[in-house]
Amino acid sequence: MNSNQELSGIKKLFPLLAEKDTNLRKEMVAGVTTFLTMAYIIAVNPNTLSAAGMDAGALVTATCLAAAIGCFIMGFMANLPFALASGMGLNAFFAYTVVLKGGVPWEVALTAVFVEGIIFILLTLFKVREAVVNSIPINMKHAVTAGIGIFIAFIGLKGCGLITANEATLVSMNHITPTVIFAFIGLIVIAIFDKKGLKGSILAGIAVSSILAWGFAMIDPKQATELGIYLPNGIFKYESIKPVAGKVDFGFLAHPKDVGNFFVVVATLLFVDFFDTVGTLVGVASKANMLDENGNVPNVGRALLADAFATTIGATLGVSTVTTYVESSTGVMEGGRTGYTAITVGVLFLLAMFFSPIFIAIPACATAPALIYVGYLMLSSIHNIDIHNVTEGLPAFITVVGMALTYSIGDGLTIGIMSYVLINLLYNLFASKQEKETISPVMVVLAILFFIKLAFL
């Protein structure tokens, strides 16, 4: 094999290396933007998982390292601008449901995450996950994009404190607090930058809101603390990963009575992560106009494999399921289109292992404007939905509202697919042969699995 063949083989394995005429500056800005909107995981993940008895300091390092590795795999192997880190919701399920409520040692819970990753690798290699992604109708794919838009905007409004829980109405508008003011100043900055055609609008909004919040913390530290605003507690800090790394434990297999519960945990992790990832990939790629002529996500098999590898490696490092982040949409809106965006995020996560106090101190009110603005941009895909065809438009609508109202991309996609299959199957019973709607067999199988899951698990 000559050197040209070897180089061609390497580029086939790592398509990022074949990229030409890439605007590296734009990709790096996109990566920084994505990182800043998801940097909260550096603080939240250790706080959540430490409730299960794991070492909080080690978890900061493990969270950053697992995220960095996942981003590097996504960037080099799939050449896509999607960032990965320990999934929110999945970490809470790990700590509070599996460990605290279920009484499962955290080492065994990590083993469940490891097994989930292995199963995902196998499902991806046999193209099962790819078949699921490609089976979703184009109208549903646009609905996923719009649904994610409303979902992340809701997260932003909740994060800045404008929306709060209400027992009578589930949610309601809160009082105007300094965090709300800081968030909307940041949002105005983003809007002005956008209107003027200036680059780095989202990054500028995050920076302005952070500076205002930290300035407020210097003036009134007591109220700032009550609002969740903290000044950086130093600059440099590094914690050893040893207390949580390499703790995967298959010793439970010696006790048959524990095996059943173990696989229920694995099945739950599989289901939630599977459809959260599918929804995120489809939604973000659709908004970025990255879908191919058949409406499919490019390199989706490699992207799903990167996600699976990241979960498996993350478990050995000591963190819960690593998944693709919806905040990747912020970087895509800044022009990120290749794996260089993901690699930039990975490099920043590596740096964050040593400068975690700074990134942990970025308040929710500073990332809120980014999430609200990107939500607005992603909602625009709703005009691509054939809303006048009720068999397509109604399931799409259910998907859109379902993501926000269930506070879950996976759950929104679940009820959307179930409604799509049910509505179209019932319509076909009464339609003439020429009018029957085509339904993918994969969609029918998914709907059946969803029903079983909702009814019995």
Side-chain angles (χ1 to χ4, degrees):
M1 182 180 289
N2 61 41
S3 58
N4 287 335
Q5 289 176 315
E6 289 177 353
L7 185 60
S8 176
I10 293 172
K11 288 182 178 179
K12 188 175 181 180
L13 182 61
F14 302 113
L16 176 70
L17 302 179
E19 276 291 334
K20 295 179 180 179
D21 301 322
T22 300
N23 187 330
L24 286 178
R25 181 183 177 279
K26 182 180 286 187
E27 298 287 332
M28 291 175 69
V29 169
V32 172
T33 302
T34 296
F35 172 75
L36 289 177
T37 57
M38 62 185 289
Y40 64 84
I41 196 63
I42 300 171
V44 175
N45 201 49
N47 184 58
T48 302
L49 296 183
S50 62
M54 303 175 75
D55 184 273
L59 284 168
V60 171
T61 303
T63 298
C64 291
L65 188 56
I69 292 172
C71 291
F72 291 150
I73 297 173
M74 180 67 79
F76 280 110
M77 197 167 75
N79 191 24
L80 289 170
F82 303 132
L84 299 91
S86 297
M88 291 293 292
L90 291 164
N91 54 7
F93 174 76
F94 178 102
Y96 300 116
T97 303
V98 178
V99 178
L100 295 179
K101 186 177 179 181
V104 176
W106 61 264
E107 294 88 349
V108 175
L110 282 177
T111 309
V113 175
F114 179 81
V115 171
E116 174 210 352
I118 296 297
I119 294 173
F120 268 160
I121 290 173
L122 295 174
L123 289 175
T124 306
L125 291 175
F126 286 102
K127 299 187 180 298
V128 175
R129 297 177 85 192
E130 187 171 347
V132 170
V133 175
N134 293 339
S135 72
I136 298 173
I138 189 65
N139 281 296
M140 290 289 287
K141 285 175 177 172
H142 290 309
V144 168
T145 304
I148 290 175
I150 295 177
F151 174 61
I152 64 173
F154 183 75
I155 292 173
L157 292 168
K158 177 176 175 288
C160 73
L162 183 63
I163 291 177
T164 188
N166 186 303
E167 289 187 8
T169 60
L170 298 183
V171 294
S172 63
M173 183 171 171
N174 201 1
H175 301 294
I176 302 298
T177 63
T179 55
V180 174
I181 295 171
F182 300 151
F184 276 84
I185 290 175
L187 187 60
I188 291 168
V189 169
I190 293 174
I192 292 172
F193 267 57
D194 189 346
K195 187 68 175 177
K196 291 286 188 180
L198 301 174
K199 301 296 183 182
S201 61
I202 297 175
L203 204 54
I206 294 173
V208 169
S209 294
S210 295
I211 292 169
L212 290 172
W214 289 338
F216 177 73
M218 295 175 68
I219 297 170
D220 191 345
K222 183 178 179 181
Q223 188 180 2
T225 300
E226 293 172 355
L227 294 171
I229 301 172
Y230 306 92
L231 288 170
N233 185 23
I235 298 176
F236 177 85
K237 190 175 184 181
Y238 175 78
E239 300 275 3
S240 171
I241 199 175
K242 189 174 180 181
V244 297
K247 302 297 182 180
V248 170
D249 178 17
F250 285 94
F252 69 93
L253 291 175
H255 307 282
K257 65 182 181 66
D258 295 331
V259 174
N261 290 334
F262 176 80
F263 282 103
V264 169
V265 173
V266 172
T268 303
L269 290 170
L270 272 169
F271 188 89
V272 175
D273 187 24
F274 192 119
F275 292 100
D276 269 3
T277 300
V278 167
T280 300
L281 288 175
V282 168
V284 177
S286 173
K287 181 58 191 173
N289 295 319
M290 294 173 66
L291 301 181
D292 62 22
E293 63 274 9
N294 298 316
N296 297 326
V297 180
N299 288 340
V300 65
R302 288 171 172 265
L304 294 168
L305 195 59
D307 184 89
F309 278 135
T311 289
T312 307
I313 294 169
T316 64
L317 293 174
V319 295
S320 55
T321 304
V322 175
T323 188
T324 306
Y325 259 57
V326 69
E327 283 84 356
S328 301
S329 55
T330 60
V332 167
M333 292 302 103
E334 285 286 13
R337 292 294 183 274
T338 74
Y340 286 112
T341 295
I343 289 170
T344 300
V345 179
V347 170
L348 291 171
F349 268 114
L350 287 181
L351 292 174
M353 288 195 301
F354 305 97
F355 299 95
S356 58
I358 296 174
F359 298 112
I360 287 174
I362 296 174
C365 64
T367 58
L371 297 174
I372 296 167
Y373 172 73
V374 171
Y376 145 73
L377 293 177
M378 296 189 75
L379 184 62
S380 65
S381 69
I382 206 165
H383 79 272
N384 295 318
I385 299 172
D386 184 7
I387 205 74
H388 301 293
N389 180 354
V390 70
T391 59
E392 293 282 334
L394 183 55
F397 169 75
I398 292 172
T399 302
V400 171
V401 298
M403 287 187 181
L405 298 182
T406 63
Y407 208 73
S408 166
I409 296 170
D411 288 345
L413 187 58
T414 295
I415 61 176
I417 288 176
M418 289 179 66
S419 64
Y420 180 90
V421 172
L422 185 60
I423 289 170
N424 281 275
L425 282 178
L426 290 174
Y427 171 78
N428 286 348
L429 289 177
F430 304 100
S432 64
K433 187 175 181 180
Q434 294 79 12
E435 294 177 330
K436 288 184 183 293
E437 298 285 351
T438 302
I439 309 173
S440 165
V442 176
M443 290 284 283
V444 176
V445 171
L446 286 175
I448 293 171
L449 292 175
F450 290 156
F451 175 78
I452 293 172
K453 188 257 182 185
L454 293 175
F456 302 107
L457 296 181

Coordinates of all heavy atoms in Angstrom, one line a residue, residues 34-108:
T34 N -20.9 27.2 21.7 CA -21.6 25.9 22.2 C -21.0 25.6 23.6 O -21.8 25.2 24.5 CB -21.2 24.8 21.2 OG1 -21.8 25.0 20.0 CG2 -21.8 23.4 21.8
F35 N -19.7 25.7 23.8 CA -19.2 25.4 25.1 C -19.7 26.2 26.2 O -20.1 25.7 27.2 CB -17.6 25.5 25.0 CG -17.0 25.4 26.4 CD1 -16.8 24.1 27.0 CD2 -16.6 26.5 27.1 CE1 -16.3 24.0 28.2 CE2 -16.0 26.3 28.3 CZ -15.8 25.1 28.9
L36 N -19.8 27.5 25.9 CA -20.3 28.4 27.0 C -21.8 28.1 27.4 O -22.2 28.3 28.5 CB -20.1 29.9 26.6 CG -18.7 30.4 26.5 CD1 -18.7 31.8 26.0 CD2 -18.0 30.3 27.9
T37 N -22.6 27.7 26.4 CA -24.0 27.4 26.7 C -24.1 26.1 27.4 O -25.2 25.8 28.0 CB -24.8 27.4 25.4 OG1 -24.3 26.5 24.5 CG2 -24.9 28.8 24.8
M38 N -23.1 25.2 27.3 CA -23.3 23.9 28.0 C -22.3 23.7 29.2 O -22.2 22.7 29.8 CB -23.1 22.8 27.0 CG -21.8 22.7 26.3 SD -21.7 21.4 25.0 CE -21.7 19.9 26.0
A39 N -21.5 24.8 29.4 CA -20.5 24.7 30.5 C -21.1 24.5 31.9 O -20.4 24.0 32.8 CB -19.6 26.0 30.5
Y40 N -22.4 24.8 32.0 CA -23.0 24.6 33.3 C -22.9 23.1 33.8 O -23.0 22.8 35.0 CB -24.5 24.9 33.2 CG -25.3 24.1 32.2 CD1 -25.9 22.9 32.6 CD2 -25.5 24.5 30.9 CE1 -26.6 22.1 31.8 CE2 -26.3 23.7 30.0 CZ -26.8 22.5 30.5 OH -27.5 21.7 29.6
I41 N -22.7 22.2 32.8 CA -22.7 20.8 33.2 C -21.4 20.5 34.1 O -21.4 19.5 34.8 CB -22.6 19.9 31.9 CG1 -23.0 18.4 32.3 CG2 -21.3 20.0 31.2 CD1 -24.3 18.2 32.8
I42 N -20.4 21.3 34.0 CA -19.2 21.2 34.8 C -19.6 21.3 36.2 O -18.9 20.6 37.1 CB -18.1 22.2 34.4 CG1 -17.8 22.0 32.9 CG2 -16.9 22.1 35.3 CD1 -16.9 23.2 32.4
A43 N -20.5 22.1 36.6 CA -21.0 22.3 38.0 C -22.1 21.4 38.3 O -22.2 20.8 39.4 CB -21.4 23.7 38.2
V44 N -23.1 21.3 37.4 CA -24.3 20.5 37.7 C -24.1 19.0 37.8 O -24.6 18.4 38.7 CB -25.4 20.8 36.6 CG1 -26.7 20.0 36.9 CG2 -25.8 22.3 36.6
N45 N -23.3 18.5 36.9 CA -23.1 17.0 36.9 C -22.5 16.5 38.2 O -23.0 15.6 38.8 CB -22.3 16.6 35.7 CG -22.5 15.1 35.4 OD1 -23.6 14.6 35.3 ND2 -21.4 14.4 35.2
P46 N -21.3 17.1 38.6 CA -20.8 16.7 39.9 C -21.7 16.9 41.1 O -21.8 16.0 42.0 CB -19.5 17.6 40.1 CG -19.2 18.0 38.7 CD -20.5 18.1 38.0
N47 N -22.5 18.0 41.1 CA -23.5 18.2 42.1 C -24.5 17.1 42.2 O -24.9 16.7 43.3 CB -24.1 19.6 41.9 CG -25.0 19.9 43.1 OD1 -24.7 20.0 44.2 ND2 -26.3 20.2 42.7
T48 N -25.0 16.7 41.0 CA -26.0 15.7 40.9 C -25.5 14.3 41.3 O -26.0 13.6 42.1 CB -26.6 15.6 39.5 OG1 -27.1 16.9 39.2 CG2 -27.7 14.6 39.4
L49 N -24.4 13.9 40.7 CA -23.8 12.6 40.9 C -23.2 12.4 42.3 O -23.2 11.3 42.8 CB -22.8 12.2 39.8 CG -23.3 12.1 38.4 CD1 -22.2 11.7 37.5 CD2 -24.5 11.2 38.3
S50 N -22.8 13.5 42.9 CA -22.2 13.3 44.2 C -23.3 13.0 45.3 O -22.9 12.4 46.3 CB -21.5 14.7 44.6 OG -22.4 15.7 44.7
A51 N -24.5 13.2 44.9 CA -25.6 12.8 45.8 C -25.7 11.3 45.9 O -26.2 10.7 46.9 CB -27.0 13.3 45.3
A52 N -25.1 10.6 45.0 CA -25.0 9.1 45.0 C -23.8 8.6 45.8 O -23.6 7.4 45.9 CB -25.0 8.6 43.6
G53 N -23.1 9.5 46.4 CA -21.9 9.1 47.2 C -20.6 9.2 46.4 O -19.6 8.7 47.0
M54 N -20.6 9.7 45.2 CA -19.3 9.8 44.5 C -18.6 11.1 44.8 O -19.2 12.1 45.3 CB -19.7 9.8 43.0 CG -20.5 8.6 42.5 SD -21.0 8.7 40.8 CE -19.4 8.3 39.9
D55 N -17.3 11.1 44.6 CA -16.4 12.2 45.0 C -16.7 13.4 44.0 O -16.5 13.3 42.8 CB -15.0 11.8 44.9 CG -14.0 12.9 45.4 OD1 -13.7 13.8 44.5 OD2 -13.7 13.0 46.6
A56 N -17.1 14.6 44.6 CA -17.5 15.7 43.7 C -16.3 16.3 43.0 O -16.4 16.7 41.8 CB -18.2 16.8 44.6
G57 N -15.2 16.4 43.6 CA -14.0 16.9 43.0 C -13.6 16.1 41.8 O -13.3 16.6 40.7
A58 N -13.5 14.8 42.0 CA -13.1 13.9 40.9 C -14.1 13.9 39.8 O -13.8 13.8 38.6 CB -13.0 12.5 41.4
L59 N -15.4 14.2 40.1 CA -16.4 14.2 39.1 C -16.3 15.5 38.2 O -16.7 15.4 37.0 CB -17.8 14.3 39.7 CG -18.3 12.9 40.3 CD1 -19.5 13.1 41.2 CD2 -18.6 12.0 39.1
V60 N -15.7 16.5 38.7 CA -15.5 17.7 37.8 C -14.5 17.3 36.7 O -14.8 17.6 35.5 CB -14.9 18.9 38.6 CG1 -14.5 20.0 37.7 CG2 -16.0 19.4 39.6
T61 N -13.4 16.7 37.1 CA -12.4 16.2 36.1 C -13.0 15.2 35.2 O -12.8 15.3 33.9 CB -11.2 15.7 36.8 OG1 -10.7 16.7 37.7 CG2 -10.1 15.3 35.8
A62 N -13.7 14.2 35.7 CA -14.3 13.1 34.9 C -15.3 13.7 33.9 O -15.4 13.3 32.7 CB -15.0 12.1 35.8
T63 N -16.1 14.7 34.3 CA -17.1 15.3 33.5 C -16.5 16.0 32.3 O -16.9 15.8 31.1 CB -18.0 16.3 34.2 OG1 -18.7 15.6 35.3 CG2 -19.0 17.0 33.3
C64 N -15.4 16.7 32.6 CA -14.7 17.5 31.5 C -14.0 16.5 30.6 O -14.1 16.7 29.3 CB -13.7 18.4 32.1 SG -14.4 19.8 33.0
L65 N -13.4 15.5 31.1 CA -12.6 14.6 30.3 C -13.5 13.7 29.4 O -13.2 13.5 28.2 CB -11.7 13.7 31.2 CG -10.7 12.7 30.5 CD1 -9.8 13.6 29.7 CD2 -9.9 11.9 31.5
A66 N -14.6 13.2 29.9 CA -15.5 12.4 29.2 C -16.2 13.3 28.0 O -16.3 12.8 26.9 CB -16.7 11.9 30.0
A67 N -16.5 14.5 28.3 CA -17.0 15.4 27.3 C -16.0 15.7 26.2 O -16.4 15.7 25.0 CB -17.5 16.7 28.0
A68 N -14.8 16.0 26.6 CA -13.7 16.2 25.6 C -13.5 15.1 24.7 O -13.5 15.2 23.5 CB -12.4 16.6 26.4
I69 N -13.4 13.9 25.3 CA -13.2 12.7 24.4 C -14.4 12.5 23.5 O -14.2 12.2 22.3 CB -13.0 11.4 25.3 CG1 -11.7 11.5 26.1 CG2 -13.1 10.2 24.5 CD1 -11.5 10.5 27.1
G70 N -15.6 12.7 24.0 CA -16.8 12.5 23.1 C -16.8 13.5 22.0 O -17.1 13.2 20.8
C71 N -16.4 14.8 22.3 CA -16.4 15.8 21.2 C -15.3 15.5 20.2 O -15.5 15.7 19.0 CB -16.1 17.2 21.9 SG -17.5 17.8 22.8
F72 N -14.2 15.0 20.7 CA -13.1 14.7 19.7 C -13.5 13.5 18.8 O -13.2 13.6 17.6 CB -11.8 14.2 20.5 CG -11.1 15.4 21.2 CD1 -10.4 15.2 22.4 CD2 -11.2 16.7 20.7 CE1 -9.8 16.2 23.1 CE2 -10.6 17.7 21.4 CZ -9.9 17.5 22.6
I73 N -14.2 12.5 19.3 CA -14.6 11.4 18.5 C -15.6 11.9 17.5 O -15.6 11.6 16.3 CB -15.2 10.3 19.4 CG1 -14.2 9.7 20.3 CG2 -15.8 9.2 18.5 CD1 -14.7 8.7 21.3
M74 N -16.6 12.7 17.9 CA -17.6 13.3 17.0 C -17.0 14.1 15.9 O -17.3 14.0 14.8 CB -18.6 14.1 17.8 CG -19.7 14.7 17.0 SD -20.9 13.6 16.3 CE -21.9 13.2 17.8
G75 N -16.0 14.9 16.3 CA -15.4 15.8 15.3 C -14.5 15.1 14.3 O -14.7 15.3 13.1
F76 N -13.7 14.2 14.8 CA -12.8 13.5 13.8 C -13.5 12.4 13.1 O -13.3 12.2 11.9 CB -11.6 12.8 14.6 CG -10.5 13.8 15.0 CD1 -10.3 14.2 16.3 CD2 -9.7 14.3 14.0 CE1 -9.3 15.1 16.6 CE2 -8.7 15.2 14.3 CZ -8.5 15.6 15.6
M77 N -14.4 11.6 13.7 CA -15.0 10.4 13.1 C -16.2 10.8 12.3 O -16.5 10.2 11.2 CB -15.3 9.4 14.1 CG -15.5 8.0 13.5 SD -15.5 6.7 14.8 CE -17.1 7.0 15.6
A78 N -17.1 11.7 12.8 CA -18.3 12.0 12.1 C -18.2 13.4 11.3 O -19.1 13.6 10.5 CB -19.5 12.1 13.1
N79 N -17.2 14.2 11.7 CA -17.1 15.5 11.1 C -18.4 16.3 11.2 O -18.8 16.9 10.2 CB -16.7 15.4 9.6 CG -16.2 16.7 9.0 OD1 -15.8 17.6 9.7 ND2 -16.3 16.8 7.7
L80 N -19.0 16.3 12.3 CA -20.2 17.1 12.6 C -20.0 18.1 13.8 O -19.2 17.8 14.7 CB -21.4 16.2 12.9 CG -21.9 15.3 11.7 CD1 -22.8 14.3 12.1 CD2 -22.5 16.2 10.6
P81 N -20.7 19.2 13.8 CA -20.5 20.2 14.8 C -21.3 20.0 16.1 O -21.8 20.9 16.7 CB -21.0 21.5 14.1 CG -22.1 21.0 13.2 CD -21.7 19.7 12.7
F82 N -21.4 18.7 16.5 CA -22.2 18.4 17.7 C -21.3 18.1 18.9 O -20.4 17.3 18.8 CB -23.1 17.2 17.4 CG -24.0 17.4 16.2 CD1 -24.2 16.4 15.2 CD2 -24.8 18.5 16.1 CE1 -25.0 16.6 14.2 CE2 -25.6 18.7 15.0 CZ -25.7 17.7 14.0
A83 N -21.7 18.7 20.0 CA -20.9 18.5 21.2 C -21.6 17.5 22.1 O -22.8 17.3 22.1 CB -20.7 19.8 21.9
L84 N -20.8 16.8 22.9 CA -21.3 15.8 23.8 C -20.8 16.0 25.3 O -19.8 16.6 25.5 CB -20.9 14.4 23.4 CG -21.3 13.9 22.0 CD1 -20.2 14.2 21.0 CD2 -21.5 12.4 22.1
A85 N -21.6 15.6 26.2 CA -21.3 15.6 27.6 C -22.3 14.8 28.4 O -23.2 14.2 27.8 CB -21.3 17.1 28.2
S86 N -22.1 14.6 29.7 CA -23.0 13.8 30.5 C -24.4 14.5 30.4 O -24.6 15.6 30.6 CB -22.6 13.8 32.0 OG -21.3 13.2 32.1
G87 N -25.4 13.6 30.1 CA -26.7 14.1 29.8 C -27.5 14.5 31.1 O -27.5 13.8 32.1
M88 N -28.1 15.7 31.0 CA -29.0 16.1 32.0 C -30.3 15.2 32.0 O -30.8 14.8 31.0 CB -29.4 17.6 31.8 CG -28.3 18.6 32.1 SD -27.8 18.6 33.8 CE -29.2 19.4 34.5
G89 N -30.8 15.0 33.2 CA -32.0 14.0 33.2 C -31.5 12.6 33.4 O -31.9 11.9 34.4
L90 N -30.5 12.2 32.6 CA -29.9 10.9 32.7 C -29.1 10.8 34.0 O -29.0 9.8 34.7 CB -29.1 10.6 31.5 CG -29.9 10.3 30.2 CD1 -29.0 10.4 29.0 CD2 -30.6 9.0 30.3
N91 N -28.4 12.0 34.3 CA -27.6 12.0 35.5 C -28.5 11.9 36.8 O -28.1 11.3 37.8 CB -26.6 13.1 35.5 CG -27.3 14.5 35.3 OD1 -28.5 14.6 35.3 ND2 -26.5 15.5 35.2
A92 N -29.6 12.6 36.7 CA -30.6 12.6 37.8 C -31.2 11.2 38.0 O -31.3 10.8 39.1 CB -31.7 13.7 37.6
F93 N -31.5 10.6 36.9 CA -32.0 9.2 37.0 C -31.0 8.3 37.6 O -31.3 7.5 38.5 CB -32.4 8.7 35.6 CG -32.8 7.3 35.5 CD1 -34.0 6.9 35.9 CD2 -31.9 6.3 35.0 CE1 -34.4 5.5 35.9 CE2 -32.3 5.0 35.0 CZ -33.5 4.6 35.4
F94 N -29.7 8.4 37.2 CA -28.6 7.7 37.8 C -28.5 7.8 39.3 O -28.5 6.8 40.0 CB -27.3 8.1 37.1 CG -26.1 7.4 37.6 CD1 -25.5 6.4 36.8 CD2 -25.5 7.8 38.7 CE1 -24.3 5.8 37.2 CE2 -24.3 7.2 39.2 CZ -23.7 6.2 38.4
A95 N -28.5 9.1 39.7 CA -28.2 9.4 41.1 C -29.4 9.1 42.0 O -29.3 8.4 43.1 CB -27.7 10.8 41.3
Y96 N -30.6 9.7 41.6 CA -31.7 9.7 42.6 C -32.6 8.5 42.4 O -33.1 8.0 43.4 CB -32.6 11.0 42.3 CG -31.8 12.2 42.6 CD1 -31.5 13.1 41.5 CD2 -31.2 12.5 43.8 CE1 -30.8 14.3 41.7 CE2 -30.5 13.7 44.0 CZ -30.3 14.5 43.0 OH -29.5 15.7 43.2
T97 N -32.8 8.0 41.2 CA -33.7 6.8 41.0 C -32.9 5.5 41.2 O -33.4 4.6 42.0 CB -34.3 6.8 39.6 OG1 -35.1 8.1 39.5 CG2 -35.3 5.7 39.4
V98 N -31.8 5.3 40.5 CA -31.1 4.0 40.5 C -30.4 3.8 41.8 O -30.5 2.8 42.5 CB -30.1 4.0 39.3 CG1 -29.3 2.7 39.4 CG2 -30.9 4.1 38.0
V99 N -29.6 4.8 42.2 CA -28.7 4.7 43.4 C -29.5 4.9 44.7 O -29.6 4.1 45.6 CB -27.5 5.6 43.3 CG1 -26.6 5.4 44.6 CG2 -26.7 5.2 42.1
L100 N -30.0 6.1 44.9 CA -30.7 6.5 46.1 C -32.0 5.8 46.4 O -32.2 5.2 47.5 CB -30.9 8.0 46.2 CG -29.6 8.8 46.2 CD1 -29.9 10.3 46.3 CD2 -28.7 8.5 47.4
K101 N -32.9 5.8 45.4 CA -34.2 5.1 45.5 C -34.1 3.6 45.4 O -34.7 2.8 46.1 CB -35.2 5.7 44.5 CG -36.6 5.2 44.7 CD -37.5 5.8 43.7 CE -39.0 5.3 43.9 NZ -39.9 5.9 42.9
G102 N -33.3 3.2 44.4 CA -33.2 1.7 44.1 C -32.2 1.0 45.0 O -32.2 -0.3 45.0
G103 N -31.3 1.7 45.7 CA -30.4 1.1 46.6 C -29.3 0.4 45.8 O -28.6 -0.5 46.4
V104 N -29.0 0.8 44.5 CA -28.0 0.1 43.7 C -26.7 0.9 44.0 O -26.6 2.1 43.9 CB -28.3 0.2 42.2 CG1 -27.2 -0.3 41.4 CG2 -29.6 -0.6 42.0
P105 N -25.6 0.2 44.3 CA -24.3 0.9 44.5 C -23.9 1.7 43.2 O -24.2 1.2 42.1 CB -23.3 -0.2 44.7 CG -24.1 -1.4 45.2 CD -25.4 -1.2 44.5
W106 N -23.3 2.8 43.4 CA -23.0 3.6 42.2 C -22.0 2.9 41.2 O -22.1 3.2 40.0 CB -22.5 5.0 42.6 CG -21.2 5.1 43.4 CD1 -21.1 5.2 44.7 CD2 -19.9 5.1 42.9 NE1 -19.8 5.3 45.1 CE2 -19.0 5.3 44.0 CE3 -19.3 5.1 41.6 CZ2 -17.6 5.3 43.8 CZ3 -17.9 5.1 41.4 CH2 -17.1 5.2 42.5
E107 N -21.2 2.1 41.8 CA -20.3 1.3 40.9 C -21.1 0.4 39.9 O -20.8 0.3 38.8 CB -19.3 0.4 41.7 CG -18.3 1.2 42.6 CD -18.9 1.6 43.9 OE1 -20.1 1.4 44.2 OE2 -18.1 2.1 44.8
V108 N -22.2 -0.2 40.4 CA -23.0 -1.1 39.6 C -23.8 -0.2 38.6 O -24.0 -0.6 37.5 CB -24.0 -1.9 40.5 CG1 -24.9 -2.7 39.6 CG2 -23.2 -2.8 41.4

